[in-house]
Amino acid sequence: MAAQRDQGHNGDQPPAAVTDVSARDVPAARERARAIPEAAVARLAVYLRVLSGMAEEGVSTISSEELAAAAGVNSAKLRKDLSYVGSYGTRGVGYDVDVLISEIERILGLTRKHSVAVVGIGNLGHALANYGGFPSRGFPVAALFDVDSDLMGVPVGGIPVEHIDDIEAICREREVNIGVIATPPSVAQDVCDRLVSGGVQCILNFAPVVLGVPDHVEVRKVDLAVEMQILSFHVARRADEALAEVTVDGTRPGVGEAVVGR
Amino acid sequence: MAAQRDQGHNGDQPPAAVTDVSARDVPAARERARAIPEAAVARLAVYLRVLSGMAEEGVSTISSEELAAAAGVNSAKLRKDLSYVGSYGTRGVGYDVDVLISEIERILGLTRKHSVAVVGIGNLGHALANYGGFPSRGFPVAALFDVDSDLMGVPVGGIPVEHIDDIEAICREREVNIGVIATPPSVAQDVCDRLVSGGVQCILNFAPVVLGVPDHVEVRKVDLAVEMQILSFHVARRADEALAEVTVDGTRPGVGEAVVGR
DNA sequence: AGCCGCTTGTGAACGCAGGCACAAAGTCGT
DNA sequence: ACGACTTTGTGCCTGCGTTCACAAGCGGCT
């Protein structure tokens, strides 16, 4: 299973070999990409969004401290994250916003277009198909699929809905890279299999099921019920803590108070 | 005005002084709840969903091995996760499905109802308001809000939409615990502040902004663009690896092949 | 030109989560 | 009733991600 693609000496360490002059061309940067922790990748995407906002406001240079504050992270963590991308800062000054944007986009693979197919055009599918954030960020929606015959051919967000039986052929033809599953859980695995057959390499799954996929396919899951339950856990935890504090020292932390952040 | 204690922000919470045996009755279990790692909580929610499916199929007992397979995790990890909840298994046999469901629900705080308010009734807000998974899992939707005057009073999913100016009063009156932000990013912070003023303790944020909140408020973020970019990164990484292998040994891993999993 | 202060980049320590492997414990079969 | 088998619960270890702290590097000021 798996990812022994890490050729041999996997993660001992990011063994320095850092900003060497060994080879500064494309392969070097790509090789290093393998070592970026997933958590850092997620944050890089956030930095990118913040930086885009900065650029629009005409900011040309930013320090790690400022960027970290805007992104809601520790500045040391931010610098380490950026170091995975490369050394594009100027000591004593900060980072050039445009350069940083370009480099993060390169590392995240946003220089290529990634065609997206959305399967399941219910409420959520509609929302996703109309979501302006996809095409504007380099993720053109190439196809929509559903089983409902009433939807066939109906354009949603400018794209006609097609039948899920055609997923494989259409995805292959249009070179879809990313599949988004917004179907009921009962058909999610079937849809997933079709997407994989169609050559889709990455899947974003909104259905509350655990998908089985071959090793070379990447799946990310967004489960609203799970998110809610995590929040529920925190509500309960907070309530218990408050209770405990009442029991211990009689003071009650401000639960209902109107403390406004920001 | 920033978060009061420090700008460590909500993400990090060093549980520092983890409690011990101060009191061992009901509080004991609750106290322990604080020590459960966030990652484990997320998995517990998944186990709960799988177990519910099992119960419906009439399964009354399940081993850690089976449950782990169904949930897509390692069995050792599963047992460790369950050990945070307590010792409810029978050695040599496994776990009683119903007991496990009850205990996980208790730990996740699902024995109480958590009222939810959804703000921003656009495409996504519609999807969320109509999402059957919320009420059926103990998260009744208590209120919907938007700015669009055309929407005022219109029932969505059976609940009338109200104006965001009334967020604070209505949330307080209906004792809303959880706020869901599905607005454009420009108003997300304002909406967030109103929710917090209304006594909301937990927020699920779909807007692509970093929210500032007081320390006692928990925020979870779901950012579709970030998810897509993470997938993009993996697409790029895979392509590079394939390229590297071609360069090295001339073999090409099956990228376009139709390998059907599961 | 040289020094000073600021900010980056990173080595190193730390803490947490994950995985292994085994003892404890309970059941089933004889 | 007893032994063998099965499965849980957990101590320990490993590895990753985060944080700290500081040396290196660069610009600006005198």
Side-chain angles (χ1 to χ4, degrees):
Chain A
M1 285 77 250
Q4 51 206 165
R5 214 167 293 278
D6 281 336
Q7 57 191 22
H9 64 288
N10 58 355
D12 311 347
Q13 221 182 356
V18 243
T19 27
D20 240 63
V21 281
S22 56
R24 66 168 56 108
D25 45 354
V26 185
R30 297 304 163 83
E31 277 298 306
R32 196 187 306 139
R34 214 186 31 186
I36 303 183
E38 181 102 356
V41 173
R43 287 190 298 268
L44 284 173
V46 174
Y47 305 154
L48 183 57
R49 173 156 44 71
V50 173
L51 285 167
S52 299
M54 296 283 181
E56 281 180 16
E57 290 175 10
V59 179
S60 65
T61 298
I62 193 169
S63 73
S64 64
E65 210 70 51
E66 294 171 285
L67 183 52
V73 301
N74 184 304
S75 74
K77 194 191 290 185
L78 178 133
R79 285 200 301 276
K80 178 143 286 191
D81 289 343
L82 293 184
S83 78
Y84 293 126
V85 176
S87 295
Y88 300 104
T90 306
R91 292 166 193 237
V93 177
Y95 300 89
D96 182 285
V97 172
D98 291 330
V99 170
L100 213 46
I101 288 175
S102 300
E103 294 302 328
I104 294 178
E105 282 181 344
R106 181 178 58 78
I107 286 289
L108 293 183
L110 300 177
T111 49
R112 331 172 179 191
K113 292 290 178 198
H114 299 278
S115 294
V116 176
V118 178
V119 187
I121 311 301
N123 281 306
L124 182 57
H126 261 89
L128 294 170
N130 287 310
Y131 180 46
F134 284 175
S136 75
R137 289 176 189 277
F139 297 97
V141 178
L144 303 177
F145 299 98
D146 204 299
V147 275
D148 187 348
S149 54
D150 291 346
L151 279 172
M152 294 306 111
V154 175
V156 175
I159 294 155
V161 177
E162 312 190 59
H163 197 273
I164 62 167
D165 286 345
D166 301 325
I167 287 178
E168 187 176 343
I170 292 177
C171 284
R172 200 171 280 289
E173 176 199 327
R174 300 183 194 170
E175 294 185 344
V176 170
N177 302 107
I178 298 177
V180 178
I181 298 178
T183 66
S186 53
V187 297
Q189 183 65 55
D190 177 55
V191 164
C192 175
D193 293 343
R194 289 169 192 258
L195 286 169
V196 172
S197 298
V200 170
Q201 304 152 63
C202 293
I203 289 175
L204 183 57
N205 177 31
F206 287 89
V209 288
V210 179
L211 292 178
V213 294
D215 291 340
H216 65 84
V217 175
E218 187 82 22
V219 176
R220 287 193 65 86
K221 201 181 69 178
V222 176
D223 189 325
L224 299 180
V226 168
E227 295 295 329
M228 297 299 282
Q229 288 170 7
I230 294 172
L231 288 176
S232 167
F233 170 77
H234 287 293
V235 172
R237 188 171 58 87
R238 293 245 152 83
D240 291 338
E241 276 172 8
L243 203 67
E245 296 207 15
V246 169
T247 324
V248 172
D249 58 333
T251 61
R252 214 174 54 134
V255 172
E257 291 169 16
V259 185
V260 181
R262 191 342 174 23
Chain B
M1 153 167 54
Q4 25 206 326
R5 210 162 50 197
D6 59 10
Q7 62 275 37
H9 260 299
N10 61 345
D12 51 79
Q13 220 215 332
V18 177
T19 41
D20 30 55
V21 280
S22 48
R24 67 184 38 205
D25 299 81
V26 185
R30 299 303 165 85
E31 280 297 306
R32 196 187 310 140
R34 220 174 30 168
I36 302 182
E38 182 101 357
V41 173
R43 286 191 297 269
L44 283 173
V46 175
Y47 305 153
L48 183 58
R49 172 158 44 72
V50 173
L51 286 167
S52 299
M54 296 284 181
E56 281 180 16
E57 289 175 12
V59 179
S60 65
T61 298
I62 192 169
S63 73
S64 64
E65 211 70 51
E66 295 172 284
L67 183 52
V73 301
N74 184 305
S75 74
K77 194 192 294 186
L78 179 134
R79 286 199 300 276
K80 182 153 287 188
D81 288 343
L82 293 183
S83 78
Y84 292 126
V85 175
S87 294
Y88 300 103
T90 307
R91 293 169 192 235
V93 177
Y95 300 89
D96 183 285
V97 172
D98 292 331
V99 170
L100 213 46
I101 288 176
S102 300
E103 294 302 328
I104 293 178
E105 283 181 342
R106 182 178 57 79
I107 286 289
L108 293 183
L110 300 177
T111 47
R112 330 172 180 191
K113 292 289 179 200
H114 300 278
S115 294
V116 176
V118 178
V119 188
I121 311 301
N123 281 308
L124 181 57
H126 261 90
L128 294 169
N130 287 312
Y131 180 46
F134 284 175
S136 73
R137 289 176 189 278
F139 296 98
V141 177
L144 304 177
F145 299 98
D146 204 299
V147 275
D148 187 349
S149 55
D150 291 346
L151 279 171
M152 294 305 112
V154 175
V156 175
I159 294 156
V161 178
E162 312 190 58
H163 198 273
I164 62 168
D165 286 345
D166 301 325
I167 287 178
E168 187 175 343
I170 293 177
C171 283
R172 200 172 282 289
E173 176 200 327
R174 300 182 193 170
E175 294 184 344
V176 169
N177 302 106
I178 298 177
V180 178
I181 297 178
T183 67
S186 54
V187 298
Q189 182 65 58
D190 178 55
V191 164
C192 174
D193 293 344
R194 288 169 193 258
L195 287 169
V196 172
S197 297
V200 170
Q201 304 152 63
C202 293
I203 289 175
L204 184 57
N205 178 32
F206 287 88
V209 289
V210 179
L211 293 177
V213 294
D215 291 341
H216 65 85
V217 175
E218 187 82 22
V219 175
R220 287 193 65 86
K221 201 180 70 177
V222 176
D223 189 324
L224 299 181
V226 168
E227 295 295 330
M228 297 298 282
Q229 289 171 8
I230 294 171
L231 288 177
S232 167
F233 170 77
H234 287 293
V235 172
R237 190 171 57 86
R238 293 245 152 85
D240 292 338
E241 277 173 7
L243 202 66
E245 296 208 12
V246 169
T247 322
V248 172
D249 58 326
T251 61
R252 213 175 54 135
V255 172
E257 292 169 16
V259 185
V260 181
R262 213 308 180 32

